[in-house]
Each structure stands twice: as C-alpha cells, then as structure tokens.
C-alpha cells in the first residue's frame, strides 16, 4: 500500500520526531524508527492509569487509517478491551444498529469530515433511540476549531486532538467515564503481553476471591502467564483465607508463569507464612521491582 507524504508527516508527528517533518531525505529506516517510537508510547503510559473492569465494555473504533486502528486496538487491548472495528461510515452505522456499544470512538475524517459528521449524527440518534447513555469520542488531528464546536453541538462527549498525549487523554477519559462500584473486587492493568497486575479492593469475602480467580484463568487463555498482586490497599487479611495465594501460585506455575506480590502488609506476610508460602511467592516493595523480578 502506498503512503503519502502527509501520512508520513503524521507518523513523525505522533512519534514526536518534528525534525523529520520538514526533511527532504526520508527513508524506510526513519519511518521504522517512528513506528517503533509510537509503539513505545502506546506501551509506556503510566501504571497509575488503572482502569476498573473495562474488559466488560463494548467499544467500537470507526477509522479508515490502518495505523490509527492498530494504535487504538493495541492501546485498548492493554486495558483488557478487545474493540470492534469499522473502516468506513456505512460499516460503522451497521455495527451501531446491531450492538449497544458502551463507547464509540470516531475518526472525524473517515475519509472526509462530512462522513465523520454523518456518523456522529447516526451514533447520537442511536443513543437517543435506545436510551443507553453510551459515550461518543472523536479523535482527530484537525486544527479547525469550528469543526470541534460542531462535534460538541451534535452531542459528542469528548474530543481528543491527535497530539503526542492523545493515548493518555483517552485512557483517563475512559477510566473516569466507566468507574465501577467502589466495592468492586479489584482493578486490573495489563502491563505487557505476559504480565497482568491486580489491585484487590476487597479481600473479606470468598466471592471476591472467586471473581479474581475467574479473571486470572481468563488471562491465562489469552497468553498472559504472569500475575502481579499490588496489595497496597489491603491492610487486614484473615489467615484462614491464605489459600487464595496458593491457588494463584498454582495457576501461574501450571502455565509456566510467575506470581509476585508487591506492597504486602505485615498481615499479608503472616498469611503467606501461615500457608508455608513465604519462600515460594516473592514479595517486593514496589510494582516496578515486581515487574523486574518477573522479567528476570
């Protein structure tokens, strides 16, 4: 597939390689370097952006540029979401009629702004018909403020300019828009293709254990073999429930992975000792240290 100079410049812009935009000497290695930098950005957003159970949400990406589709799909998969994709206006409208999406992410130029505005109109109309308060997000690199105003007037919930921080803005918006109950069992964050981190919120009932175990088993089926528990929010733990750690350790070991705990309280360490696991399950003082240990 041929790529235009405008598309090449957009790649350099997203990679923050502004010096290449005005250069007359561009080669394949420059483009490869830019794509690698974009990939690094996607995979390096702050671990503080832990999204509450977004894996249950249905998200539609409507975009006609494969690079953008790849970026968005990769980003969303890192927080547990496998999105649906539509590559033109008609396909997106068809999807909207079949599925009640929790969020629709629209590229305004698909390929022209008139198509994007038509799609926004269809998404808003569908939302009004169903009464489902889903979110409509537009991502675009346009500098035309009048188009941005039109989008908001039509009913768009959030407009993101395609700058170097667009991925962080999107994650923060999704995280704030789809907050789960404060008593939810855990928050989940995919660190990379082999490590998933859980921050348990409630460890006082076996139903919470069951929810985490179920999700860990699902992660194993997707190829994520290593589990990290960040227990910074757990100060009290019943020793009789120490079996939960043994069960998770067994799941990871059977799948060729590791189970590491970060920020364990004295009470948690007592529970590990009670179950004879203190020398089996490593405990670290930070998430970063735990990730390093898993990758070693």
């Amino acid at each position: 597939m041929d790529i235009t100079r405008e598309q090449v410049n957009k790649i350099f812009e997203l990679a923050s390689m502004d010096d290449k935009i005005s250069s007359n000497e561009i080669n394949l290695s420059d483009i490869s370097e830019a794509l690698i930098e974009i990939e690094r950005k996607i995979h390096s957003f702050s671990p503080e952006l832990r999204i509450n159970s977004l894996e249950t949400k249905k998200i539609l990406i409507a975009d006609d540029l494969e690079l953008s589709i790849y970026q968005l799909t990769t980003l969303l998969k890192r927080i547990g979401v496998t999105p649906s994709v539509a590559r033109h206006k008609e396909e997106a409208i068809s999807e909207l009629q079949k599925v009640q999406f929790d969020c629709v992410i629209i590229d305004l130029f698909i390929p022209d702004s008139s198509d994007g505005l038509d799609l926004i109109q269809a998404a808003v109309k569908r939302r009004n018909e169903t009464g489902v308060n889903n979110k409509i997000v537009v991502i675009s690199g346009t500098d035309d403020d009048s188009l941005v105003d039109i989008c908001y007037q039509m009913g768009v919930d959030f407009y993101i300019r395609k700058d170097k921080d667009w991925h962080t803005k999107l994650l923060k918006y999704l995280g704030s828009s789809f907050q789960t109950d404060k008593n939810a069992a855990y928050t989940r964050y995919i660190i990379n293709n082999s490590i998933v981190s859980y921050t348990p919120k409630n460890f006082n009932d076996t139903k919470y254990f069951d929810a985490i175990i179920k999700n860990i088993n699902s992660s194993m089926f997707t190829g994520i073999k290593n589990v990290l528990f960040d227990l910074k929010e757990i100060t009290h733990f019943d020793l009789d429930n120490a079996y939960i750690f043994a069960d998770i350790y067994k799941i990871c070991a059977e799948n060729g992975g590791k189970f590491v705990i970060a920020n364990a309280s004295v009470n948690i360490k007592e529970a590990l000792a009670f179950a004879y696991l203190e020398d089996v399950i490593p405990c670290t003082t930070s998430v970063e240290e735990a990730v390093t240990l898993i990758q070693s």
Side-chain angles (χ1 to χ4, degrees), residues 34-263:
L35 291 174
I36 290 171
E37 178 61 17
I38 291 171
E39 181 87 358
R40 186 195 65 77
K41 286 185 176 185
I42 291 174
H43 287 271
S44 64
F45 60 83
S46 170
E48 295 303 316
L49 296 172
R50 298 186 183 181
I51 311 300
N52 289 347
S53 300
L54 273 178
E55 66 269 19
T56 63
K57 301 300 180 183
K58 296 178 181 178
I59 296 180
L60 174 66
I61 297 171
D63 202 315
D64 63 338
L65 185 62
E66 291 300 324
L67 175 61
S68 295
I69 291 171
Y70 171 76
Q71 288 178 279
L72 284 166
T73 300
T74 301
L75 184 68
L76 292 172
K77 283 184 176 180
R78 285 181 57 74
I79 57 172
V81 178
T82 300
S84 300
V85 175
R87 289 174 169 80
H88 53 77
K89 178 181 71 175
E90 291 75 16
E91 184 181 8
I93 292 175
S94 176
E95 287 295 309
L96 288 171
Q97 295 299 319
K98 294 185 292 185
V99 180
Q100 288 189 354
F101 291 100
D102 297 287
C103 181
V104 182
I105 301 173
I106 299 173
D107 172 24
L108 184 57
F109 289 82
I110 184 173
D112 300 313
S113 61
S114 59
D115 295 296
L117 294 174
D118 285 348
L119 181 51
I120 291 170
Q121 184 179 42
V124 172
K125 179 181 178 182
R126 181 62 175 162
R127 178 168 65 186
N128 293 337
E129 290 173 347
T130 61
V132 176
N133 187 28
N134 61 359
K135 304 299 180 183
I136 301 173
V137 178
V138 171
I139 301 180
S140 177
T142 182
D143 293 324
D144 188 340
D145 290 334
S146 64
L147 275 176
V148 178
D149 291 340
I150 290 172
C151 289
Y152 278 117
Q153 291 167 11
M154 293 179 69
V156 165
D157 296 284
F158 194 48
Y159 187 100
I160 302 175
R161 293 189 187 276
K162 207 71 178 288
D163 57 21
K164 63 181 180 180
D165 297 321
W166 70 268
H167 52 291
T168 301
K169 294 174 183 176
L170 176 61
L171 289 178
K172 284 183 176 179
Y173 177 75
L174 292 177
S176 63
S177 298
F178 298 114
Q179 289 294 328
T180 56
D181 191 295
K182 65 180 180 180
N183 295 318
Y186 58 88
T187 57
R188 176 177 183 262
Y189 169 67
I190 299 176
I191 293 177
N192 57 37
N193 291 334
S194 68
I195 305 174
V196 60
S197 171
Y198 294 87
T199 303
K201 300 289 186 180
N202 193 322
F203 252 19
N204 300 317
D205 194 309
T206 56
K207 69 181 180 181
Y208 297 117
F209 303 158
D210 292 342
I212 290 178
I213 291 292
K214 180 179 178 181
N215 195 276
I216 289 174
N217 279 317
S218 297
S219 296
M220 296 294 156
F221 283 118
T222 65
I224 301 176
K225 308 298 183 184
N226 302 295
V227 174
L228 190 163
F229 258 27
D230 182 2
L231 299 181
K232 63 182 180 181
E233 298 189 29
I234 306 299
T235 57
H236 177 74
F237 186 79
D238 190 333
L239 297 181
D240 290 339
N241 292 327
Y243 71 87
I244 181 70
F245 298 119
D247 287 350
I248 297 172
Y249 172 80
K250 182 179 179 182
I251 292 171
C252 293
E254 288 177 345
N255 286 276
K258 298 177 182 178
F259 176 37
V260 178
I261 293 174
N263 300 313

